[in-house]
């Protein structure tokens, strides 16, 4: 592991200033992802600014009836919060489907959002990977890519080649995208609020950047707007084994049905793209349709028509369609 300096700032402003002055530095949350990557030589920061005790570890009520989740709230505490379980079951379920109890005790809200991809070429420094070593190529494109993306990956790089086909790993982020969460950030140029759908990015011609955050920007909290009365929500994840595994495909869904008609629906998919994938095509198809299996399947088909699977991950297309349809049917049952 490369030598690095460990810093603890007095306050948020101090942490932001320290990192702004260290172009190769990084913030440290629970360390469950960053420290692993440092041991592998994938991440090589020269300064670590520990922010776990600087940002809030509380979940607070917002005046509009939503919740503000401090950046340092451990994933386990968030999943156990009674208000979250009652008002946003989709998020509690997503958290509980990720990692293990021990990891969730340590992992933070901000760190979870910013965890890096699990593509095995990314974590192996002897292999080509445009995300880790820009311009070196993408090992997964012709290699092992069963777990990789089926949508959003075909935006060509400067030489006309697809740059990166990996997926975003966080379950929590998928649920937050379906909930239209807002990420609160403090940076060297001041504060800003980022709608979570604009936080993570597609690879485009620069797959080294996972998000739209600028260097030195610190996540301080994530706000959840209230869901309209009568909305039910759920997270469902498919994976190769029952625990301690990342999603092959997952779906976060929130549904409001009145008189048998879909009044509102929010859908996001995990395991299918470089970012949590908001299924806006399916949502648009569904609004105003009868809440039936036929409608749900038609919406899922419309969304997955956009898919361009790779040689070995075509199975994700029917899997995603079935997962959307089944989850919405289950939610409809809940509203009866
Ligand atoms: C074996 C294993 C299985 C796992 N399975 C799953 C799974 O199934 N689903 C899932 O979703 N996750 C899974 N995880 C990942 C786990 O959820 C993440 O490692 C964890 O959430 C990262 O949080 P952290 O606080 O430890 O982040 P850290 O490792 O501390 O940081 C991660 C990144 O966030 C940055 N950062 C941290 N805090 C801030 C801040 N406040 N502002 C700006 N930047 C910040 C760091 O600089 C770093 O780049 C698994 C991990 C392991 C090891
Ligand atoms: S899919 Fe992305 S992360 Fe994986 S090898 Fe290709 S460029 Fe690297």
């Amino acid at each position: 592991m490369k030598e690095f300096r460990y810093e603890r700032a007095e306050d948020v402003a101090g942490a932001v200033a320290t990192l702004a002055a260290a172009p190769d530095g990084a913030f440290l949350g629970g360390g469950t992802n960053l420290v692993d990557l440092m041991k592998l030589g994938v991440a090589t920061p020269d300064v670590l600014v520990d922010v776990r005790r600087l940002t809030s570890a509380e979940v607070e009520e917002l005046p509009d009836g939503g919740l503000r989740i401090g950046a340092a709230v451990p994933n386990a505490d968030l999943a156990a919060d009674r208000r979250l379980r009652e008002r946003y079951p989709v998020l509690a379920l997503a958290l509980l489907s990720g990692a293990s109890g021990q990891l969730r005790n340590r992992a933070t809200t901000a760190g979870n959002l910013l965890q890096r991809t699990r593509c095995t070429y990314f974590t192996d420094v002897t292999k080509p990977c445009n995300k880790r070593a820009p311009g070196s190529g993408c090992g997964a494109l012709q290699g092992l890519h069963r777990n990789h993306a089926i949508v959003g990956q075909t935006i060509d790089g400067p030489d006309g080649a697809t740059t990166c086909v990996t997926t975003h790993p966080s379950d929590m982020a998928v649920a937050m995208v379906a909930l239209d969460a807002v990420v609160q950030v403090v940076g060297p140029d001041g504060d800003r609020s980022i709608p979570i759908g604009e936080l993570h990015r597609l690879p485009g011609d620069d797959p080294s950047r996972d998000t739209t955050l600028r260097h030195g920007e610190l996540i301080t909290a994530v706000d959840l707007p209230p869901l309209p009365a009568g909305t039910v929500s759920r997270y469902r994840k498919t994976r190769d084994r029952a625990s301690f595994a990342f999603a092959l495909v997952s779906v976060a869904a929130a549904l409001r049905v009145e008189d048998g008609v879909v009044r509102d629906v929010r859908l996001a998919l995990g395991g299918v793209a470089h970012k949590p994938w908001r299924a806006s095509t399916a949502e648009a198809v569904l609004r105003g349709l009868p809440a039936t299996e036929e409608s749900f399947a038609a919406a899922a088909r419309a969304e997955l028509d956009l898919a361009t699977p790779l040689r070995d991950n075509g199975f994700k297309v029917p899997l995603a369609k079935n997962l959307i349809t089944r989850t919405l049917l289950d939610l409809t049952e809940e509203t009866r």
Side-chain angles (χ1 to χ4, degrees), residues 26-34 51 75 98-99 103 107-108 110-112 114-115 118 169-171 217-219 237 244-246:
F27 292 127
L28 178 69
T32 61
N33 184 229
L34 181 56
V51 293
N75 291 176
L103 281 161
T108 62
N112 189 319
L114 301 183
Q115 61 175 292
R118 311 306 282 205
S170 166
D171 291 294
E217 283 192 320
L218 177 77
I219 295 179
K237 173 176 176 179
F244 222 43
F246 290 86

PDB file of all heavy atoms in Angstrom, residues 26-34 51 75 98-99 103 107-108 110-112 114-115 118 169-171 217-219 237 244-246, ligand 1:
ATOM      1  N   ALA A  26      -8.380  12.114  -0.453  1.00  0.00           N
ATOM      2  CA  ALA A  26      -9.763  11.585  -0.470  1.00  0.00           C
ATOM      3  C   ALA A  26     -10.360  11.699   0.926  1.00  0.00           C
ATOM      4  O   ALA A  26      -9.639  11.658   1.928  1.00  0.00           O
ATOM      5  CB  ALA A  26      -9.760  10.127  -0.912  1.00  0.00           C
ATOM      6  N   PHE A  27     -11.687  11.834   0.987  1.00  0.00           N
ATOM      7  CA  PHE A  27     -12.393  11.737   2.261  1.00  0.00           C
ATOM      8  C   PHE A  27     -12.489  10.265   2.649  1.00  0.00           C
ATOM      9  O   PHE A  27     -12.572   9.379   1.789  1.00  0.00           O
ATOM     10  CB  PHE A  27     -13.812  12.304   2.139  1.00  0.00           C
ATOM     11  CG  PHE A  27     -13.861  13.790   1.920  1.00  0.00           C
ATOM     12  CD1 PHE A  27     -14.570  14.344   0.855  1.00  0.00           C
ATOM     13  CD2 PHE A  27     -13.201  14.653   2.793  1.00  0.00           C
ATOM     14  CE1 PHE A  27     -14.618  15.709   0.660  1.00  0.00           C
ATOM     15  CE2 PHE A  27     -13.250  16.034   2.606  1.00  0.00           C
ATOM     16  CZ  PHE A  27     -13.957  16.555   1.532  1.00  0.00           C
ATOM     17  N   LEU A  28     -12.531  10.022   3.956  1.00  0.00           N
ATOM     18  CA  LEU A  28     -12.691   8.660   4.461  1.00  0.00           C
ATOM     19  C   LEU A  28     -13.974   8.584   5.279  1.00  0.00           C
ATOM     20  O   LEU A  28     -14.162   9.356   6.215  1.00  0.00           O
ATOM     21  CB  LEU A  28     -11.487   8.296   5.355  1.00  0.00           C
ATOM     22  CG  LEU A  28     -11.520   6.914   6.010  1.00  0.00           C
ATOM     23  CD1 LEU A  28     -11.357   5.811   4.967  1.00  0.00           C
ATOM     24  CD2 LEU A  28     -10.423   6.799   7.072  1.00  0.00           C
ATOM     25  N   GLY A  29     -14.887   7.669   4.876  1.00  0.00           N
ATOM     26  CA  GLY A  29     -16.088   7.417   5.678  1.00  0.00           C
ATOM     27  C   GLY A  29     -15.814   6.208   6.553  1.00  0.00           C
ATOM     28  O   GLY A  29     -14.889   6.201   7.377  1.00  0.00           O
ATOM     29  N   GLY A  30     -16.594   5.133   6.370  1.00  0.00           N
ATOM     30  CA  GLY A  30     -16.362   3.906   7.138  1.00  0.00           C
ATOM     31  C   GLY A  30     -15.136   3.151   6.652  1.00  0.00           C
ATOM     32  O   GLY A  30     -14.611   2.282   7.352  1.00  0.00           O
ATOM     33  N   GLY A  31     -14.673   3.457   5.445  1.00  0.00           N
ATOM     34  CA  GLY A  31     -13.452   2.840   4.906  1.00  0.00           C
ATOM     35  C   GLY A  31     -13.663   1.447   4.332  1.00  0.00           C
ATOM     36  O   GLY A  31     -12.715   0.817   3.862  1.00  0.00           O
ATOM     37  N   THR A  32     -14.892   0.944   4.312  1.00  0.00           N
ATOM     38  CA  THR A  32     -15.107  -0.453   3.882  1.00  0.00           C
ATOM     39  C   THR A  32     -14.880  -0.656   2.389  1.00  0.00           C
ATOM     40  O   THR A  32     -14.662  -1.774   1.943  1.00  0.00           O
ATOM     41  CB  THR A  32     -16.527  -0.955   4.233  1.00  0.00           C
ATOM     42  OG1 THR A  32     -17.486  -0.144   3.546  1.00  0.00           O
ATOM     43  CG2 THR A  32     -16.798  -0.912   5.726  1.00  0.00           C
ATOM     44  N   ASN A  33     -14.916   0.411   1.620  1.00  0.00           N
ATOM     45  CA  ASN A  33     -14.607   0.301   0.193  1.00  0.00           C
ATOM     46  C   ASN A  33     -13.247   0.933  -0.103  1.00  0.00           C
ATOM     47  O   ASN A  33     -12.376   0.312  -0.719  1.00  0.00           O
ATOM     48  CB  ASN A  33     -15.718   0.960  -0.633  1.00  0.00           C
ATOM     49  CG  ASN A  33     -15.504   0.789  -2.121  1.00  0.00           C
ATOM     50  OD1 ASN A  33     -15.581   1.732  -2.886  1.00  0.00           O
ATOM     51  ND2 ASN A  33     -15.233  -0.425  -2.570  1.00  0.00           N
ATOM     52  N   LEU A  34     -13.052   2.143   0.372  1.00  0.00           N
ATOM     53  CA  LEU A  34     -11.820   2.870   0.030  1.00  0.00           C
ATOM     54  C   LEU A  34     -10.567   2.140   0.530  1.00  0.00           C
ATOM     55  O   LEU A  34      -9.581   2.001  -0.216  1.00  0.00           O
ATOM     56  CB  LEU A  34     -11.886   4.299   0.607  1.00  0.00           C
ATOM     57  CG  LEU A  34     -10.684   5.187   0.325  1.00  0.00           C
ATOM     58  CD1 LEU A  34     -10.407   5.297  -1.166  1.00  0.00           C
ATOM     59  CD2 LEU A  34     -10.894   6.581   0.918  1.00  0.00           C
ATOM     60  N   VAL A  51     -13.926  11.906   7.776  1.00  0.00           N
ATOM     61  CA  VAL A  51     -15.099  12.778   7.965  1.00  0.00           C
ATOM     62  C   VAL A  51     -16.221  12.071   8.723  1.00  0.00           C
ATOM     63  O   VAL A  51     -17.300  12.620   8.877  1.00  0.00           O
ATOM     64  CB  VAL A  51     -15.622  13.311   6.606  1.00  0.00           C
ATOM     65  CG1 VAL A  51     -14.614  14.253   5.986  1.00  0.00           C
ATOM     66  CG2 VAL A  51     -15.957  12.171   5.636  1.00  0.00           C
ATOM     67  N   ASN A  75     -25.253   2.494   7.758  1.00  0.00           N
ATOM     68  CA  ASN A  75     -26.303   1.823   6.973  1.00  0.00           C
ATOM     69  C   ASN A  75     -27.221   0.994   7.883  1.00  0.00           C
ATOM     70  O   ASN A  75     -28.432   0.923   7.664  1.00  0.00           O
ATOM     71  CB  ASN A  75     -25.684   0.892   5.919  1.00  0.00           C
ATOM     72  CG  ASN A  75     -24.959   1.632   4.804  1.00  0.00           C
ATOM     73  OD1 ASN A  75     -24.359   1.013   3.939  1.00  0.00           O
ATOM     74  ND2 ASN A  75     -24.987   2.960   4.800  1.00  0.00           N
ATOM     75  N   GLY A  98     -28.021  -5.342   1.192  1.00  0.00           N
ATOM     76  CA  GLY A  98     -26.634  -5.089   0.801  1.00  0.00           C
ATOM     77  C   GLY A  98     -25.627  -5.567   1.826  1.00  0.00           C
ATOM     78  O   GLY A  98     -25.879  -5.521   3.035  1.00  0.00           O
ATOM     79  N   ALA A  99     -24.489  -6.063   1.357  1.00  0.00           N
ATOM     80  CA  ALA A  99     -23.331  -6.392   2.193  1.00  0.00           C
ATOM     81  C   ALA A  99     -23.704  -7.360   3.315  1.00  0.00           C
ATOM     82  O   ALA A  99     -24.432  -8.321   3.098  1.00  0.00           O
ATOM     83  CB  ALA A  99     -22.701  -5.109   2.713  1.00  0.00           C
ATOM     84  N   LEU A 103     -20.640  -5.142   7.954  1.00  0.00           N
ATOM     85  CA  LEU A 103     -20.308  -4.043   7.031  1.00  0.00           C
ATOM     86  C   LEU A 103     -21.304  -2.897   7.172  1.00  0.00           C
ATOM     87  O   LEU A 103     -20.926  -1.726   7.171  1.00  0.00           O
ATOM     88  CB  LEU A 103     -20.316  -4.550   5.589  1.00  0.00           C
ATOM     89  CG  LEU A 103     -19.064  -5.331   5.173  1.00  0.00           C
ATOM     90  CD1 LEU A 103     -19.350  -6.169   3.945  1.00  0.00           C
ATOM     91  CD2 LEU A 103     -17.904  -4.397   4.916  1.00  0.00           C
ATOM     92  N   ALA A 107     -20.407   0.999   7.445  1.00  0.00           N
ATOM     93  CA  ALA A 107     -20.572   1.799   6.214  1.00  0.00           C
ATOM     94  C   ALA A 107     -21.472   3.005   6.460  1.00  0.00           C
ATOM     95  O   ALA A 107     -22.457   2.923   7.197  1.00  0.00           O
ATOM     96  CB  ALA A 107     -21.166   0.919   5.121  1.00  0.00           C
ATOM     97  N   THR A 108     -21.145   4.119   5.833  1.00  0.00           N
ATOM     98  CA  THR A 108     -21.900   5.358   6.015  1.00  0.00           C
ATOM     99  C   THR A 108     -22.788   5.650   4.793  1.00  0.00           C
ATOM    100  O   THR A 108     -22.570   5.097   3.709  1.00  0.00           O
ATOM    101  CB  THR A 108     -20.932   6.546   6.189  1.00  0.00           C
ATOM    102  OG1 THR A 108     -20.152   6.671   4.982  1.00  0.00           O
ATOM    103  CG2 THR A 108     -20.008   6.354   7.387  1.00  0.00           C
ATOM    104  N   ALA A 110     -22.931   8.449   2.973  1.00  0.00           N
ATOM    105  CA  ALA A 110     -22.177   9.070   1.871  1.00  0.00           C
ATOM    106  C   ALA A 110     -21.253   8.052   1.210  1.00  0.00           C
ATOM    107  O   ALA A 110     -21.168   7.976  -0.024  1.00  0.00           O
ATOM    108  CB  ALA A 110     -21.374  10.260   2.388  1.00  0.00           C
ATOM    109  N   GLY A 111     -20.564   7.251   2.036  1.00  0.00           N
ATOM    110  CA  GLY A 111     -19.631   6.267   1.480  1.00  0.00           C
ATOM    111  C   GLY A 111     -20.357   5.249   0.610  1.00  0.00           C
ATOM    112  O   GLY A 111     -19.852   4.831  -0.428  1.00  0.00           O
ATOM    113  N   ASN A 112     -21.556   4.850   1.046  1.00  0.00           N
ATOM    114  CA  ASN A 112     -22.335   3.891   0.270  1.00  0.00           C
ATOM    115  C   ASN A 112     -22.665   4.457  -1.117  1.00  0.00           C
ATOM    116  O   ASN A 112     -22.507   3.795  -2.133  1.00  0.00           O
ATOM    117  CB  ASN A 112     -23.619   3.526   1.032  1.00  0.00           C
ATOM    118  CG  ASN A 112     -24.366   2.377   0.379  1.00  0.00           C
ATOM    119  OD1 ASN A 112     -24.474   2.315  -0.841  1.00  0.00           O
ATOM    120  ND2 ASN A 112     -24.905   1.474   1.179  1.00  0.00           N
ATOM    121  N   LEU A 114     -21.034   6.564  -2.774  1.00  0.00           N
ATOM    122  CA  LEU A 114     -19.835   6.797  -3.602  1.00  0.00           C
ATOM    123  C   LEU A 114     -18.940   5.569  -3.724  1.00  0.00           C
ATOM    124  O   LEU A 114     -17.818   5.669  -4.217  1.00  0.00           O
ATOM    125  CB  LEU A 114     -19.036   7.977  -3.037  1.00  0.00           C
ATOM    126  CG  LEU A 114     -19.811   9.300  -2.972  1.00  0.00           C
ATOM    127  CD1 LEU A 114     -18.914  10.420  -2.465  1.00  0.00           C
ATOM    128  CD2 LEU A 114     -20.387   9.683  -4.327  1.00  0.00           C
ATOM    129  N   GLN A 115     -19.427   4.407  -3.273  1.00  0.00           N
ATOM    130  CA  GLN A 115     -18.630   3.186  -3.425  1.00  0.00           C
ATOM    131  C   GLN A 115     -18.379   2.955  -4.916  1.00  0.00           C
ATOM    132  O   GLN A 115     -19.177   3.320  -5.772  1.00  0.00           O
ATOM    133  CB  GLN A 115     -19.353   1.992  -2.815  1.00  0.00           C
ATOM    134  CG  GLN A 115     -20.695   1.675  -3.448  1.00  0.00           C
ATOM    135  CD  GLN A 115     -21.313   0.409  -2.878  1.00  0.00           C
ATOM    136  OE1 GLN A 115     -20.794  -0.674  -3.092  1.00  0.00           O
ATOM    137  NE2 GLN A 115     -22.407   0.555  -2.153  1.00  0.00           N
ATOM    138  N   ARG A 118     -17.633  -2.976  -8.757  1.00  0.00           N
ATOM    139  CA  ARG A 118     -17.014  -4.249  -8.380  1.00  0.00           C
ATOM    140  C   ARG A 118     -16.485  -4.993  -9.612  1.00  0.00           C
ATOM    141  O   ARG A 118     -16.146  -6.178  -9.507  1.00  0.00           O
ATOM    142  CB  ARG A 118     -18.018  -5.143  -7.656  1.00  0.00           C
ATOM    143  CG  ARG A 118     -18.784  -4.492  -6.548  1.00  0.00           C
ATOM    144  CD  ARG A 118     -17.950  -3.826  -5.501  1.00  0.00           C
ATOM    145  NE  ARG A 118     -17.337  -4.700  -4.543  1.00  0.00           N
ATOM    146  CZ  ARG A 118     -16.988  -4.325  -3.310  1.00  0.00           C
ATOM    147  NH1 ARG A 118     -17.206  -3.095  -2.909  1.00  0.00           N
ATOM    148  NH2 ARG A 118     -16.392  -5.151  -2.495  1.00  0.00           N
ATOM    149  N   PRO A 169     -22.705  -0.300  -8.063  1.00  0.00           N
ATOM    150  CA  PRO A 169     -22.966  -1.391  -7.122  1.00  0.00           C
ATOM    151  C   PRO A 169     -23.967  -1.126  -5.992  1.00  0.00           C
ATOM    152  O   PRO A 169     -24.448  -2.065  -5.365  1.00  0.00           O
ATOM    153  CB  PRO A 169     -21.584  -1.632  -6.502  1.00  0.00           C
ATOM    154  CG  PRO A 169     -20.890  -0.307  -6.578  1.00  0.00           C
ATOM    155  CD  PRO A 169     -21.436   0.392  -7.786  1.00  0.00           C
ATOM    156  N   SER A 170     -24.282   0.127  -5.688  1.00  0.00           N
ATOM    157  CA  SER A 170     -25.048   0.400  -4.457  1.00  0.00           C
ATOM    158  C   SER A 170     -26.527   0.059  -4.590  1.00  0.00           C
ATOM    159  O   SER A 170     -27.201   0.512  -5.521  1.00  0.00           O
ATOM    160  CB  SER A 170     -24.904   1.876  -4.080  1.00  0.00           C
ATOM    161  OG  SER A 170     -25.877   2.231  -3.112  1.00  0.00           O
ATOM    162  N   ASP A 171     -27.046  -0.700  -3.630  1.00  0.00           N
ATOM    163  CA  ASP A 171     -28.493  -0.943  -3.557  1.00  0.00           C
ATOM    164  C   ASP A 171     -29.201   0.292  -3.016  1.00  0.00           C
ATOM    165  O   ASP A 171     -30.263   0.680  -3.512  1.00  0.00           O
ATOM    166  CB  ASP A 171     -28.779  -2.136  -2.632  1.00  0.00           C
ATOM    167  CG  ASP A 171     -28.307  -3.447  -3.223  1.00  0.00           C
ATOM    168  OD1 ASP A 171     -28.871  -3.863  -4.241  1.00  0.00           O
ATOM    169  OD2 ASP A 171     -27.360  -4.054  -2.678  1.00  0.00           O
ATOM    170  N   GLU A 217     -15.597  18.274  -2.779  1.00  0.00           N
ATOM    171  CA  GLU A 217     -16.990  18.414  -2.343  1.00  0.00           C
ATOM    172  C   GLU A 217     -17.333  17.287  -1.365  1.00  0.00           C
ATOM    173  O   GLU A 217     -17.106  16.105  -1.643  1.00  0.00           O
ATOM    174  CB  GLU A 217     -17.942  18.402  -3.544  1.00  0.00           C
ATOM    175  CG  GLU A 217     -17.922  19.744  -4.279  1.00  0.00           C
ATOM    176  CD  GLU A 217     -19.051  19.875  -5.298  1.00  0.00           C
ATOM    177  OE1 GLU A 217     -19.353  18.893  -5.992  1.00  0.00           O
ATOM    178  OE2 GLU A 217     -19.595  20.986  -5.419  1.00  0.00           O
ATOM    179  N   LEU A 218     -17.890  17.699  -0.235  1.00  0.00           N
ATOM    180  CA  LEU A 218     -18.225  16.767   0.843  1.00  0.00           C
ATOM    181  C   LEU A 218     -19.743  16.594   0.908  1.00  0.00           C
ATOM    182  O   LEU A 218     -20.479  17.584   0.980  1.00  0.00           O
ATOM    183  CB  LEU A 218     -17.722  17.353   2.172  1.00  0.00           C
ATOM    184  CG  LEU A 218     -18.032  16.555   3.433  1.00  0.00           C
ATOM    185  CD1 LEU A 218     -17.092  15.355   3.547  1.00  0.00           C
ATOM    186  CD2 LEU A 218     -17.887  17.427   4.677  1.00  0.00           C
ATOM    187  N   ILE A 219     -20.201  15.366   0.890  1.00  0.00           N
ATOM    188  CA  ILE A 219     -21.638  15.109   1.101  1.00  0.00           C
ATOM    189  C   ILE A 219     -21.903  15.242   2.593  1.00  0.00           C
ATOM    190  O   ILE A 219     -21.209  14.629   3.422  1.00  0.00           O
ATOM    191  CB  ILE A 219     -22.021  13.704   0.603  1.00  0.00           C
ATOM    192  CG1 ILE A 219     -21.841  13.602  -0.915  1.00  0.00           C
ATOM    193  CG2 ILE A 219     -23.464  13.372   0.986  1.00  0.00           C
ATOM    194  CD1 ILE A 219     -22.180  12.246  -1.514  1.00  0.00           C
ATOM    195  N   LYS A 237     -34.337  -7.700  -5.095  1.00  0.00           N
ATOM    196  CA  LYS A 237     -32.988  -7.862  -5.657  1.00  0.00           C
ATOM    197  C   LYS A 237     -32.767  -9.318  -6.039  1.00  0.00           C
ATOM    198  O   LYS A 237     -33.046 -10.213  -5.247  1.00  0.00           O
ATOM    199  CB  LYS A 237     -31.991  -7.447  -4.566  1.00  0.00           C
ATOM    200  CG  LYS A 237     -30.527  -7.680  -4.848  1.00  0.00           C
ATOM    201  CD  LYS A 237     -29.687  -7.113  -3.702  1.00  0.00           C
ATOM    202  CE  LYS A 237     -28.222  -7.401  -3.860  1.00  0.00           C
ATOM    203  NZ  LYS A 237     -27.417  -6.826  -2.767  1.00  0.00           N
ATOM    204  N   PHE A 244     -24.713 -11.398   0.837  1.00  0.00           N
ATOM    205  CA  PHE A 244     -23.316 -11.044   0.610  1.00  0.00           C
ATOM    206  C   PHE A 244     -22.993 -11.057  -0.881  1.00  0.00           C
ATOM    207  O   PHE A 244     -21.933 -11.503  -1.296  1.00  0.00           O
ATOM    208  CB  PHE A 244     -22.433 -12.073   1.336  1.00  0.00           C
ATOM    209  CG  PHE A 244     -21.259 -11.443   2.035  1.00  0.00           C
ATOM    210  CD1 PHE A 244     -21.414 -10.281   2.753  1.00  0.00           C
ATOM    211  CD2 PHE A 244     -19.999 -12.020   1.974  1.00  0.00           C
ATOM    212  CE1 PHE A 244     -20.334  -9.702   3.402  1.00  0.00           C
ATOM    213  CE2 PHE A 244     -18.921 -11.448   2.612  1.00  0.00           C
ATOM    214  CZ  PHE A 244     -19.086 -10.289   3.331  1.00  0.00           C
ATOM    215  N   ALA A 245     -23.952 -10.609  -1.710  1.00  0.00           N
ATOM    216  CA  ALA A 245     -23.709 -10.587  -3.153  1.00  0.00           C
ATOM    217  C   ALA A 245     -24.361  -9.341  -3.750  1.00  0.00           C
ATOM    218  O   ALA A 245     -25.417  -8.908  -3.278  1.00  0.00           O
ATOM    219  CB  ALA A 245     -24.275 -11.838  -3.802  1.00  0.00           C
ATOM    220  N   PHE A 246     -23.725  -8.817  -4.773  1.00  0.00           N
ATOM    221  CA  PHE A 246     -24.260  -7.636  -5.445  1.00  0.00           C
ATOM    222  C   PHE A 246     -25.385  -8.043  -6.396  1.00  0.00           C
ATOM    223  O   PHE A 246     -25.500  -9.213  -6.759  1.00  0.00           O
ATOM    224  CB  PHE A 246     -23.138  -6.910  -6.187  1.00  0.00           C
ATOM    225  CG  PHE A 246     -22.174  -6.257  -5.232  1.00  0.00           C
ATOM    226  CD1 PHE A 246     -21.106  -6.966  -4.700  1.00  0.00           C
ATOM    227  CD2 PHE A 246     -22.372  -4.944  -4.824  1.00  0.00           C
ATOM    228  CE1 PHE A 246     -20.248  -6.379  -3.793  1.00  0.00           C
ATOM    229  CE2 PHE A 246     -21.518  -4.354  -3.913  1.00  0.00           C
ATOM    230  CZ  PHE A 246     -20.446  -5.065  -3.395  1.00  0.00           C
TER     231      PHE A 246
HETATM  232  C1  LIG B   1     -17.904  -8.125   0.852  1.00  0.00           C
HETATM  233  C2  LIG B   1     -18.725  -6.893   0.551  1.00  0.00           C
HETATM  234  C3  LIG B   1     -20.023  -7.059   0.079  1.00  0.00           C
HETATM  235  C4  LIG B   1     -20.786  -5.917  -0.201  1.00  0.00           C
HETATM  236  N1  LIG B   1     -22.062  -6.065  -0.710  1.00  0.00           N
HETATM  237  C5  LIG B   1     -22.798  -4.962  -1.017  1.00  0.00           C
HETATM  238  C6  LIG B   1     -24.094  -5.064  -1.598  1.00  0.00           C
HETATM  239  O1  LIG B   1     -24.601  -6.175  -1.809  1.00  0.00           O
HETATM  240  N2  LIG B   1     -24.759  -3.936  -1.886  1.00  0.00           N
HETATM  241  C7  LIG B   1     -24.226  -2.699  -1.644  1.00  0.00           C
HETATM  242  O2  LIG B   1     -24.885  -1.700  -1.922  1.00  0.00           O
HETATM  243  N3  LIG B   1     -23.008  -2.561  -1.129  1.00  0.00           N
HETATM  244  C8  LIG B   1     -22.270  -3.649  -0.812  1.00  0.00           C
HETATM  245  N4  LIG B   1     -21.016  -3.510  -0.302  1.00  0.00           N
HETATM  246  C9  LIG B   1     -20.404  -2.195  -0.296  1.00  0.00           C
HETATM  247  C10 LIG B   1     -20.620  -1.422   0.965  1.00  0.00           C
HETATM  248  O3  LIG B   1     -21.980  -1.029   1.009  1.00  0.00           O
HETATM  249  C11 LIG B   1     -19.706  -0.189   0.849  1.00  0.00           C
HETATM  250  O4  LIG B   1     -18.385  -0.648   1.025  1.00  0.00           O
HETATM  251  C12 LIG B   1     -20.019   0.861   1.874  1.00  0.00           C
HETATM  252  O5  LIG B   1     -21.340   1.304   1.777  1.00  0.00           O
HETATM  253  C13 LIG B   1     -19.088   2.070   1.711  1.00  0.00           C
HETATM  254  O6  LIG B   1     -19.312   2.974   2.764  1.00  0.00           O
HETATM  255  P1  LIG B   1     -18.080   3.540   3.627  1.00  0.00           P
HETATM  256  O7  LIG B   1     -18.624   4.560   4.561  1.00  0.00           O
HETATM  257  O8  LIG B   1     -17.296   2.433   4.247  1.00  0.00           O
HETATM  258  O9  LIG B   1     -17.266   4.245   2.471  1.00  0.00           O
HETATM  259  P2  LIG B   1     -15.689   4.534   2.322  1.00  0.00           P
HETATM  260  O10 LIG B   1     -15.004   3.276   1.912  1.00  0.00           O
HETATM  261  O11 LIG B   1     -15.161   5.248   3.527  1.00  0.00           O
HETATM  262  O12 LIG B   1     -15.726   5.593   1.122  1.00  0.00           O
HETATM  263  C14 LIG B   1     -16.242   5.271  -0.166  1.00  0.00           C
HETATM  264  C15 LIG B   1     -16.063   6.515  -1.037  1.00  0.00           C
HETATM  265  O13 LIG B   1     -16.849   7.592  -0.548  1.00  0.00           O
HETATM  266  C16 LIG B   1     -16.045   8.748  -0.336  1.00  0.00           C
HETATM  267  N5  LIG B   1     -16.652   9.440   0.813  1.00  0.00           N
HETATM  268  C17 LIG B   1     -16.921   8.905   2.028  1.00  0.00           C
HETATM  269  N6  LIG B   1     -17.619   9.811   2.773  1.00  0.00           N
HETATM  270  C18 LIG B   1     -17.768  10.928   2.013  1.00  0.00           C
HETATM  271  C19 LIG B   1     -18.432  12.196   2.188  1.00  0.00           C
HETATM  272  N7  LIG B   1     -19.090  12.500   3.319  1.00  0.00           N
HETATM  273  N8  LIG B   1     -18.429  13.081   1.167  1.00  0.00           N
HETATM  274  C20 LIG B   1     -17.785  12.799   0.001  1.00  0.00           C
HETATM  275  N9  LIG B   1     -17.134  11.635  -0.220  1.00  0.00           N
HETATM  276  C21 LIG B   1     -17.156  10.699   0.765  1.00  0.00           C
HETATM  277  C22 LIG B   1     -14.644   8.213  -0.100  1.00  0.00           C
HETATM  278  O14 LIG B   1     -13.660   9.179  -0.446  1.00  0.00           O
HETATM  279  C23 LIG B   1     -14.625   7.034  -1.055  1.00  0.00           C
HETATM  280  O15 LIG B   1     -14.349   7.469  -2.358  1.00  0.00           O
HETATM  281  C24 LIG B   1     -20.243  -4.631   0.011  1.00  0.00           C
HETATM  282  C25 LIG B   1     -18.948  -4.480   0.508  1.00  0.00           C
HETATM  283  C26 LIG B   1     -18.188  -5.600   0.777  1.00  0.00           C
HETATM  284  C27 LIG B   1     -16.789  -5.406   1.307  1.00  0.00           C
END
